[in-house]
Amino acid sequence: MFEQELDLLKRRRRFRTLRTMETGHGPRVTVGGREMLSLASNDYLGLAVHPALRDAAGAAVERYGTGSGASRLLSGTSPLHTRLEEALADFLPCEAVLLFNSGYAANTGVLGALCGAEDLILSDALNHASIVDGCRLSKADVRVYKHCDLNALEKMLKAESRYRRRWIVTEGVFSMDGDIAPLSDLVNLADKHGAEVYLDDAHGMGVLGEQGRGTAAYCGVEDRLTLRMGTLGKAFGSYGAFVAGRRDSIELLVNRARPLIFSTALPPAVLAASAAALEIIGSPAGDVLRARLHANVQTLVSALRDAGWAGLTGETPITPLILGPVSTALAVADRLFAQGVFAPAIRPPTVPEGTARIRFSVMASHGEEELGRVGALVDREALLSCGNFHHDG
Ligand SMILES: Cc1ncc(COP(=O)(O)O)c(C=O)c1O
């Protein structure tokens, strides 16, 4: 029935399959019976296998069982939900926090609920698909500005003044490039033009800033955002997401956000694991993990620089090797896989046409030596000479 569509995907080298990880998400994983170095997980601090999270999840199952039974607005809200929301609000700090079932649900829920037909969304060109889908679900007009280009953004703000609210929507750490949004200047611009800022901090929360309070803390703009979203499935090693802001915006989300209203609430084990993660992230133990993560990032980036790759900043755990053609990215990913490194190719439409890449993602629990060895596997000259490489950067 769908042969033609599938054929087209295959011919365009866009066909994807699911690969089973036979182990948990540590720095080494087993794929197809082979142990490999994984550079493909967003569990940046290694908390997904931390004993405190396992214990908390186990105890929550003992006490509350496995399911949450209903959506939050029916009978799905447990003390674990409210306690985690309060703890997150204290941590950030902010007036109120609302949990969502995932970052995808949060972005589609917030933009769909708060951005109406009288509003304008200004969205960074490299924003995540969940923001793109949130923009589509909202009734707002949407304009896309060139990645992190504040001049382009200001031109749009000047040209588009007739709206009830104008929302600037950006990621804190861009998920496929690893660069950090210029939040301080962006917030100044928003203030100057009376615009709102919605920050998706999926990859910054837990990792950047004092106590891991995220990209807004790192850039010194924590109290100047309208709303920010953090995920619990990446540095928190658990699952779900939260949105933080003023109490009135959270109350409106409770009343309007469809992924919250029409979906079964997060289950007890997940909530308890997230709460245990939060305790670690905000403590000195969290600082130790972040220092280790940062050192590991520097090790990988310097190995990649030695292998001939320029322009890598090492500011965040995400480092892309932008290769260009899909065929090149697939060939390099296969080559890495054959040599025991799991770092899949990222292709359009996840990234723009012509920028297929390998995305390396570092964890605090990686070993320095194993990261140092990766450079030799992606030596730029060697890739160039294998004839399947057309990158001009
Ligand atoms: C920037 C960004 N926002 C949102 C999401 C979605 O988060 P989740 O995986 O919790 O749905 C992701 C992750 O995939 C992401 O990278």
Side-chain angles (χ1 to χ4, degrees):
M1 181 177 174
F2 295 113
E3 287 88 354
Q4 275 187 351
E5 283 100 319
L6 288 168
D7 268 356
L8 186 62
L9 285 174
K10 284 177 189 161
R11 268 188 278 122
R12 297 178 67 206
R13 307 213 66 183
R14 298 286 170 80
F15 186 70
R16 303 171 193 223
T17 53
L18 300 171
R19 189 141 34 188
T20 304
M21 294 270 173
E22 289 132 31
T23 42
H25 265 275
R28 274 161 300 282
V29 294
T30 305
V31 186
R34 268 184 73 197
E35 190 181 313
M36 315 198 76
L37 172 68
S38 168
L39 287 166
S41 171
N42 301 320
D43 175 22
Y44 301 117
L45 301 177
L47 294 183
V49 293
H50 194 288
L53 274 73
R54 292 176 197 260
D55 290 349
V61 170
E62 279 301 314
R63 176 149 188 206
Y64 295 100
T66 51
S68 59
S71 99
R72 293 283 302 274
L73 283 171
L74 294 177
S75 59
T77 298
S78 73
L80 295 174
H81 289 93
T82 35
R83 281 207 297 269
L84 179 56
E85 287 172 342
E86 284 163 12
L88 285 163
D90 282 348
F91 170 67
L92 289 172
C94 65
E95 278 183 21
V97 161
L98 184 64
L99 292 168
F100 278 84
N101 286 1
S102 67
Y104 186 93
N107 282 339
T108 51
V110 169
L111 298 173
L114 300 188
C115 305
E118 316 86 332
D119 298 335
L120 172 69
I121 299 175
L122 299 168
S123 180
D124 189 286
L126 293 190
N127 275 342
H128 189 258
S130 54
I131 294 176
V132 175
D133 291 358
C135 290
R136 289 181 183 144
L137 281 171
S138 80
K139 302 213 164 37
D141 286 343
V142 179
R143 308 261 185 282
V144 174
Y145 61 90
K146 195 170 156 220
H147 179 52
C148 289
D149 183 339
L150 297 186
N151 290 328
L153 179 59
E154 181 155 39
K155 269 194 202 140
M156 286 180 181
L157 284 165
K158 281 185 181 153
E160 310 277 10
S161 57
R162 64 203 150 88
Y163 290 91
R164 176 184 67 170
R165 287 188 201 102
R166 291 169 304 162
W167 291 85
I168 301 170
V169 181
T170 182
E171 293 179 31
V173 174
F174 284 86
S175 63
M176 293 299 145
D177 290 72
D179 55 335
I180 297 176
L183 279 189
S184 172
D185 291 341
L186 187 144
V187 167
N188 286 341
L189 208 56
D191 282 353
K192 181 172 158 196
H193 293 277
E196 313 295 328
V197 179
Y198 176 62
L199 173 68
D200 170 341
D201 208 14
H203 297 273
M205 194 58 69
V207 171
L208 292 183
E210 197 186 337
Q211 286 186 300
R213 293 201 310 269
T215 314
Y218 183 75
C219 297
V221 298
E222 282 182 283
D223 51 354
R224 297 179 63 200
L225 303 168
T226 312
L227 282 169
R228 63 181 138 151
M229 185 280 269
T231 49
L232 300 167
K234 303 187 196 301
F236 277 67
S238 176
Y239 187 70
F242 62 89
V243 174
R246 286 182 33 177
R247 193 167 304 283
D248 61 346
S249 45
I250 298 300
E251 280 174 0
L252 194 56
L253 287 174
V254 171
N255 282 275
R256 279 210 194 138
R258 295 170 71 83
L260 175 94
I261 300 169
F262 297 109
S263 190
T264 302
L266 287 173
V270 162
L271 295 163
S274 299
L278 178 60
E279 277 188 26
I280 296 169
I281 281 172
S283 74
D287 292 336
V288 172
L289 291 174
R290 278 183 290 277
R292 214 176 283 157
L293 174 63
H294 185 71
N296 281 347
V297 171
Q298 301 320 308
T299 302
L300 178 71
V301 164
S302 90
L304 295 174
R305 285 187 188 128
D306 290 348
W309 295 92
L312 310 177
T313 65
E315 279 184 303
T316 72
I318 301 165
T319 294
L321 292 189
I322 298 178
L323 297 159
V326 169
S327 54
T328 309
L330 289 172
V332 174
D334 284 350
R335 192 184 155 114
L336 284 169
F337 194 82
Q339 302 191 62
V341 176
F342 186 61
I346 311 283
R347 296 172 265 175
T350 304
V351 291
E353 272 318 316
T355 70
R357 65 195 67 188
I358 300 294
R359 173 187 184 268
F360 290 127
S361 179
V362 175
M363 300 168 70
S365 44
H366 278 125
E368 205 181 317
E369 199 201 333
E370 60 193 358
L371 291 173
R373 279 194 283 111
V374 173
L377 305 180
V378 287
D379 183 83
R380 197 165 177 275
E381 285 302 313
L383 292 180
L384 275 169
S385 65
C386 80
N388 191 17
F389 190 84
H390 313 285
H391 186 47
D392 53 7

